[in-house]
Amino acid sequence: MSLNETIQTYLDRLAGMGWPVAEKLAPGIAPDEVDARLRELGLSPDPELHAFWSAMNGIVEGDFTLDQMQIFPGYYPLSIAEAVTAHQTGTGAVHGRSGEEDWPEHLFPILADGMGDFFTVDLREAGGAGLPVWNHVEGFPPELRYASIRDFFGTATRGVEEGLIFLEEGRYLELDDEGFEDLERELNPDIPREDVE
């Protein structure tokens, strides 16, 4: 199954449980537009990012709450423009700073919670078997969670199928944290738990 199909399967599972976030996704963009934005930052393009941003380019304009934009519990998808801005802010590039709170420049965001937490991909691995996915929770070191965007969406799909990602009161996506962590370990056994150097 291609990454595009994996992402679509996940969106279909969300719709199947009554979460129509796909209706709020902005249309995807072409790979050359993704590549151009990454190269402006001195970053390498990758087919996994082509697939991600061809499936969605953030959320359409509308009067949505953060909860209503979620594609994964707590997180919504960034447009390529939002991702560039978040990357520049996270690495300190827009402020001309460099400190312990800044991200390494090779980490590029794809999902955000709107309050400072992100999922990013490691572009040092661009052109390889997949882009490792890291979770940034403000105040903590980034944590490696998946070997690729494909593994992220594949694990999330199983999470929906097993009831570990579910709709809370019909208003937002919720996560069975303990159960989902067990599923992550089962499906991603080779992922070490370590901080970015």
Side-chain angles (χ1 to χ4, degrees), residues 70-87:
Q70 292 177 357
I71 193 174
F72 182 79
Y75 293 84
Y76 63 92
L78 295 169
S79 69
I80 187 66
E82 291 169 331
V84 166
T85 298
H87 177 267

Side-chain angles (χ1 to χ4, degrees), residues 77-158:
L78 295 169
S79 69
I80 187 66
E82 291 169 331
V84 166
T85 298
H87 177 267
Q88 291 175 319
T89 302
T91 61
V94 295
H95 303 296
R97 68 171 195 270
S98 178
E100 291 182 3
E101 77 279 10
D102 297 334
W103 301 349
E105 291 186 3
H106 54 80
L107 294 179
F108 194 76
I110 57 173
L111 304 177
D113 76 341
M115 294 176 286
D117 297 346
F118 295 88
F119 277 96
T120 65
V121 293
D122 189 343
L123 289 176
R124 290 177 300 183
E125 304 297 325
L131 294 175
V133 178
W134 294 77
N135 189 205
H136 297 246
V137 175
E138 194 168 16
F140 296 90
E143 180 186 10
L144 179 62
R145 297 287 291 275
Y146 305 95
S148 66
I149 296 177
R150 180 193 303 275
D151 289 349
F152 170 82
F153 280 104
T155 304
T157 298
R158 278 280 299 276

Side-chain angles (χ1 to χ4, degrees), residues 14-32:
L14 292 179
M17 69 174 183
W19 188 244
V21 70
E23 299 173 4
K24 300 180 178 71
L25 298 178
I29 57 176
D32 59 350

Side-chain angles (χ1 to χ4, degrees), residues 9 11 34-35 41 46 50 54-55 60 71 77 79 93 95 118 130 141 161 183:
T9 296
L11 296 176
V34 175
D35 292 354
L41 301 173
D46 186 87
H50 295 164
S54 70
V60 296
I71 193 174
S79 69
H95 303 296
F118 295 88
E161 293 170 347
L183 181 65

